[in-house]
């Protein structure tokens, strides 16, 4: 064997340790910890499986080579098998190399996704509604659960701002199938070109909506929040929401004083429920801020090479007259915009995933 893959040894030990922990019923009493361990275990399963496959293929090839060297009728038979065994060995070696390339440890997490209307007034708000529908349909196709946490409607039926939680129904066996692994590339400015419903002259206008994506915090202990750092205001809800609207102080605004992050919730009729939802979003935003700060300080963006920290980046254009979808980061272009907006987002996401993987493999090769 020409390679030992020594880097696998500590990962095998970690895998065995987590397996032991997950067998302990006491661990599952803490749902957040159990889910965090399960996510890491699923990630390590990929390494363990690839390593075992490579070892088996490598051992088979070495054994065949030794027997072929003995000559004779049996040796000739093993010699004939050797090219196929060597090819299988190389294939499993390449697979192991790929899974050993450090990936985003958040890939298996659920997400909180926020869509904000931008330039374009009502047209932008309508487009934000189109994007929300696209993500809800995409999540449905992937078998994920969705929950609208907060929304601010526009006059014509779109959204000025909407926040939605997207959750996998169970811990994915492969982190690459996780919600964050696929939706993290959606952060940025989405541009639309079409004739607005508000335009009587039939002219094509360009407007935009912004998308923010945060990995959701499953264990509250991951992000420490000092209660003294919070200012919590309550006020009366406005807009849709049932009989309690404008009759009770159920809406909640949470301000994290050190960072200035503000989260407001009013969708629920209970002040307690709105506060819990606000804290949920605040923890996700703080986790993202901490990770971005750590990445910037280390001058090594461990997160996606495609999904940049600059949320003002224009990442995609949706051209209705041409039925065209174009991703400006990867060069992806297709003329099935109607299908994409109906949730057929996989090919677009795949282009970003593949570009990211290529960048990480190239970086690993240079290291």
């Amino acid at each position: 064997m020409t390679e030992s893959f020594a880097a696998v040894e500590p990962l095998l030990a970690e895998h065995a340790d987590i397996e032991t922990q997950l067998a302990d019923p006491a661990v599952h009493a803490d749902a957040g910890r159990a889910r965090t361990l399960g996510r890491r275990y699923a990630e390590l399963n990929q390494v363990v499986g690839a390593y075992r496959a490579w070892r088996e293929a490598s051992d088979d090839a070495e054994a065949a080579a030794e027997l072929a060297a003995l000559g004779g009728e049996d040796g000739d038979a093993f010699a004939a098998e050797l090219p196929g065994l060597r090819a299988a060995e190389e294939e499993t070696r390449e697979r192991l190399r790929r899974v050993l390339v450090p990936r985003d440890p958040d890939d298996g997490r659920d997400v909180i996704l926020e869509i904000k209307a931008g330039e374009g007034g009502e047209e932008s708000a309508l487009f934000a509604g189109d994007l929300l529908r696209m993500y809800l349909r995409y999540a449905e196709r992937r078998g994920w659960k969705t929950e609208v946490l907060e929304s601010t409607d526009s006059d014509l039926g779109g959204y000025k701002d909407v926040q939605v939680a997207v959750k996998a129904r169970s811990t994915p066996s492969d982190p690459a199938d996780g919600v964050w692994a696929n939706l993290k590339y959606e952060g940025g400015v989405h541009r639309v070109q079409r004739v607005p419903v508000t335009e009587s002259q039939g002219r094509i206008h360009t407007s935009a909506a912004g998308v923010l994506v945060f990995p959701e915090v499953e264990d509250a202990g991951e992000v420490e929040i000092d209660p003294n750092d919070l200012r919590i205001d309550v006020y009366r809800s406005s807009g849709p929401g049932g009989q309690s609207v404008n009759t009770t102080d159920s809406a909640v605004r949470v301000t994290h004083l050190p960072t200035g992050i503000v989260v407001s919730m009013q969708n629920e009729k209970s002040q307690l429920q709105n506060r819990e939802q606000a804290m949920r979003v605040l923890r996700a935003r703080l986790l993202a801020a901490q990770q971005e700060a750590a990445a910037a300080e280390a001058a090594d963006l461990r997160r996606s090479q495609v999904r940049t920290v600059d949320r003002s980046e224009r990442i995609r254009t949706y051209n209705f007259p041409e039925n065209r979808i174009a991703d400006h980061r990867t060069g992806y272009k297709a003329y099935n915009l109607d299908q994409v907006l109906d949730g057929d987002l996989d090919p677009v996401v795949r282009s970003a995933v593949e570009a990211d993987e290529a960048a990480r493999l190239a970086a690993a090769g240079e290291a």
Side-chain angles (χ1 to χ4, degrees):
M1 294 184 292
T2 58
E3 293 180 82
S4 64
F5 287 114
V8 176
E9 296 301 328
L11 300 179
L12 296 177
E14 183 184 359
H15 180 268
D17 178 60
I18 293 178
E19 191 170 55
T20 300
Q21 292 185 62
L22 290 174
D24 183 358
V27 169
H28 296 274
D30 184 340
R33 183 187 175 203
R35 190 169 175 85
T36 299
L37 287 173
R39 187 172 63 243
R40 178 59 174 162
Y41 186 73
E43 182 178 351
L44 291 173
N45 268 340
Q46 305 299 310
V47 176
V48 172
Y51 180 70
R52 289 173 177 169
W54 168 70
R55 284 298 303 267
E56 181 178 352
S58 182
D59 290 344
D60 287 348
E62 290 300 319
E66 292 176 4
L67 292 170
L70 297 177
E73 185 175 340
D74 289 342
D76 291 343
F78 281 109
E81 292 183 21
L82 192 55
L85 294 172
R86 289 296 190 197
E89 179 187 16
E90 181 55 34
E91 182 179 338
T92 56
R93 178 186 289 113
E94 182 59 26
R95 164 65 179 160
L96 180 54
R97 284 199 192 102
R98 284 181 172 272
V99 299
L100 284 175
V101 173
R103 68 177 306 130
D104 189 336
D106 291 331
D107 275 351
R109 287 185 188 265
D110 298 325
V111 310
I112 291 177
L113 185 147
E114 182 171 0
I115 307 169
K116 290 178 172 288
E119 300 175 1
E122 283 293 341
E123 169 60 17
S124 176
L126 290 170
F127 179 51
D130 292 336
L131 291 177
L132 174 63
R133 180 179 180 275
M134 178 183 74
Y135 290 127
L136 294 179
R137 294 298 298 272
Y138 177 60
E140 182 181 356
R141 288 171 181 245
R142 296 296 301 257
W144 299 333
K145 296 183 294 183
T146 56
E147 175 189 4
V148 176
L149 302 177
E150 178 72 359
S151 62
T152 304
D153 300 343
S154 70
D155 294 337
L156 296 182
Y159 291 95
K160 296 178 182 178
D161 190 348
V162 58
Q163 296 175 352
V164 57
V166 186
K167 302 177 68 69
R169 296 188 180 275
S170 60
T171 301
S173 57
D174 183 349
D177 294 326
V179 182
W180 172 257
N182 290 275
L183 288 182
K184 63 184 175 183
Y185 305 102
E186 296 304 301
V189 175
H190 296 240
R191 185 177 69 167
V192 61
Q193 296 173 325
R194 65 181 174 188
V195 178
V197 296
T198 56
E199 174 61 60
S200 60
Q201 300 300 318
R203 295 178 297 178
I204 296 175
H205 282 208
T206 297
S207 59
V211 175
L212 307 177
V213 190
F214 306 100
E216 182 156 16
V217 177
E218 292 144 358
D219 180 358
E222 285 185 82
V223 179
E224 295 185 8
I225 300 178
D226 186 341
N228 295 322
D229 288 339
L230 299 178
R231 185 179 71 237
I232 300 177
D233 303 308
V234 296
Y235 55 98
R236 292 189 178 183
S237 301
S238 60
Q243 294 179 350
S244 64
V245 173
N246 293 326
T247 62
T248 61
D249 291 336
S250 60
V252 174
R253 181 186 301 109
V254 178
T255 304
H256 186 249
L257 299 174
T259 61
I261 294 174
V262 179
V263 181
S264 299
M265 289 285 166
Q266 67 173 19
N267 269 24
E268 304 295 339
K269 295 182 179 180
S270 160
Q271 183 184 123
L272 178 60
Q273 289 177 311
N274 281 324
R275 177 169 175 164
E276 289 175 349
Q277 297 286 47
M279 291 300 297
R280 181 177 172 185
V281 174
L282 176 61
R283 281 192 290 267
R285 289 186 179 179
L286 287 174
L287 176 64
Q290 290 173 9
Q291 292 173 336
E292 289 174 4
E297 183 177 351
D300 177 19
L301 293 178
R302 69 161 181 79
R303 305 170 92 193
S304 166
Q305 307 260 349
V306 174
R307 179 194 157 276
T308 68
V309 174
D310 181 9
R311 296 192 181 96
S312 65
E313 176 193 18
R314 189 189 70 190
I315 66 168
R316 199 173 292 153
T317 293
Y318 303 71
N319 186 298
F320 277 70
E322 298 179 12
N323 198 34
R324 171 170 53 84
I325 178 83
D327 194 293
H328 305 296
R329 302 160 300 176
T330 66
Y332 177 88
K333 183 184 295 185
Y335 292 85
N336 64 338
L337 176 57
D338 53 339
Q339 297 175 36
V340 171
L341 290 173
D342 196 41
D344 188 12
L345 195 57
D346 265 326
V348 191
V349 170
R350 176 52 49 188
S351 73
V353 171
E354 290 175 352
D356 187 24
E357 289 180 348
R360 288 190 290 109
L361 283 168
E366 295 171 359

